[in-house]
Amino acid sequence: MQTNSVPPAHSSLVAVGDSFTEGMSDLLPDGSYRGWADVLANRMAARTPGFRYANLAVRGKLIGQIVEEQVDVAVAMRPDVITLVGGLNDTLRPKCDMQRVRDLLTEAVERLAPACEQLVLMRSPGRNGPVLERFRPRMEALFEIVEELAGRHGARVVDLYGAPSLADPRLWDVDRLHLTPEGHRRVAEAVWQTLGYDPEDTEWRTPMPATAPPGWAARRVEDVRFTRQYLLPWIGRRLTGRSSGDGRAPKRPELLPYEA
């Protein structure tokens, strides 16, 4: 992580991506989602009067949809910082054309990098378990593309995939796809430090203390719940070509003042 003796004074942030950046499953009492990008914006706003923030991310979006629907909007805003996290939904599809993912991610970075002072990319976290093992080769191929593009365009990369703490299933929601509020807090800390701010939590990478694993019966109950509430609907959307983000607008579509 990069840190400066004099913290930066970014005056605006635009977040681009899918459900990870929208903030699922960091649920607020009103039914909306917060997430790491909101936590990050809150910290940045506390340091910079007049700070502005937009979050264009929408759950379920593939990298092609992110390029088509979000990139031009972010470019027009000309913020100090843009974060881009995309492509992971593509790698989780039964069929994934990694060359197409590379081309689209390249297009996104080539357009976003000149439109901001600092572009931030990520190696997304991966939850330990069979899903990660099945899709690990695609994910790692995606992260190689991210590293290559960052080096070519001066973007900074937040390495969440290499953080032991974020592989812990306890930092993932019951849907097994999205982080808990504590997981999102750690991601916000990682991005915060990558941007050059002084650490508020130097141990965000450190795994939580070990606890006794749940018993067999509790695991089976959780498996049934996961299958009914999340896995079967997810499969249904894949079979019908639908997405959880269809018809959904971004939660902060305009670059407006954000009060900490």
Side-chain angles (χ1 to χ4, degrees):
M1 296 296 178
Q2 298 187 19
T3 58
N4 299 327
S5 57
V6 178
H10 299 116
S11 63
S12 53
L13 166 68
V14 175
V16 174
D18 50 34
S19 60
F20 176 70
T21 302
E22 182 185 345
M24 297 173 71
S25 293
D26 188 359
L27 190 64
L28 295 172
D30 65 359
S32 64
Y33 291 105
R34 183 178 57 172
W36 65 265
D38 285 17
V39 175
L40 177 67
N42 193 67
R43 289 190 186 185
M44 296 170 77
R47 286 180 174 263
T48 307
F51 180 82
R52 296 175 301 152
Y53 169 50
N55 190 323
L56 308 178
V58 176
R59 66 196 70 173
K61 295 300 182 182
L62 303 173
I63 186 60
Q65 294 170 309
I66 291 172
V67 170
E68 181 179 350
E69 300 168 13
Q70 300 177 32
V71 167
D72 280 347
V73 179
V75 167
M77 292 176 175
R78 310 294 296 189
D80 288 352
V81 178
I82 297 177
T83 64
L84 167 64
V85 187
L88 199 60
N89 282 335
D90 297 77
T91 68
L92 297 177
R93 294 295 177 105
K95 295 182 180 179
C96 175
D97 183 346
M98 288 304 298
Q99 183 58 51
R100 173 172 167 76
V101 171
R102 169 186 285 276
D103 293 344
L104 288 166
L105 195 57
T106 299
E107 179 182 349
V109 170
E110 288 179 345
R111 289 159 63 182
L112 291 171
C116 63
E117 292 182 8
Q118 185 60 65
L119 178 63
V120 177
L121 308 177
M122 292 191 194
R123 288 162 48 93
S124 304
R127 178 187 187 276
N128 283 338
V131 174
L132 175 62
E133 293 310 313
R134 177 180 179 185
F135 294 103
R136 187 187 296 275
R138 288 183 185 173
M139 291 175 62
E140 293 185 346
L142 175 66
F143 300 154
E144 289 179 5
I145 298 169
V146 167
E147 294 281 4
E148 176 186 327
L149 290 172
R152 193 186 309 162
H153 296 278
R156 296 186 181 180
V157 178
V158 186
D159 185 14
L160 305 175
Y161 184 68
S165 61
L166 294 176
D168 189 329
R170 291 173 295 174
L171 287 180
W172 294 76
D173 192 53
V174 292
D175 67 1
R176 305 181 185 180
L177 287 174
H178 301 105
L179 292 168
T180 63
E182 172 60 15
H184 279 283
R185 184 197 68 79
R186 294 187 182 220
V187 173
E189 179 67 34
V191 183
W192 174 260
Q193 293 183 28
T194 299
L195 285 171
Y197 293 97
D198 293 332
E200 294 188 11
D201 176 10
T202 58
E203 302 298 323
W204 72 268
R205 290 175 170 269
T206 303
M208 297 189 300
T211 58
W216 183 89
R219 294 198 304 272
R220 298 294 78 76
V221 169
E222 191 60 39
D223 287 344
V224 170
R225 178 188 177 193
F226 163 72
T227 300
R228 288 178 176 174
Q229 293 187 7
Y230 301 103
L231 182 59
L232 292 179
W234 184 84
I235 292 174
R237 290 194 298 271
R238 298 291 80 74
L239 293 175
T240 57
R242 293 178 292 115
S243 167
S244 57
D246 288 347
R248 183 175 296 274
K251 63 181 181 180
R252 291 186 63 90
E254 298 181 68
L255 187 60
L256 296 175
Y258 184 90
E259 294 186 6

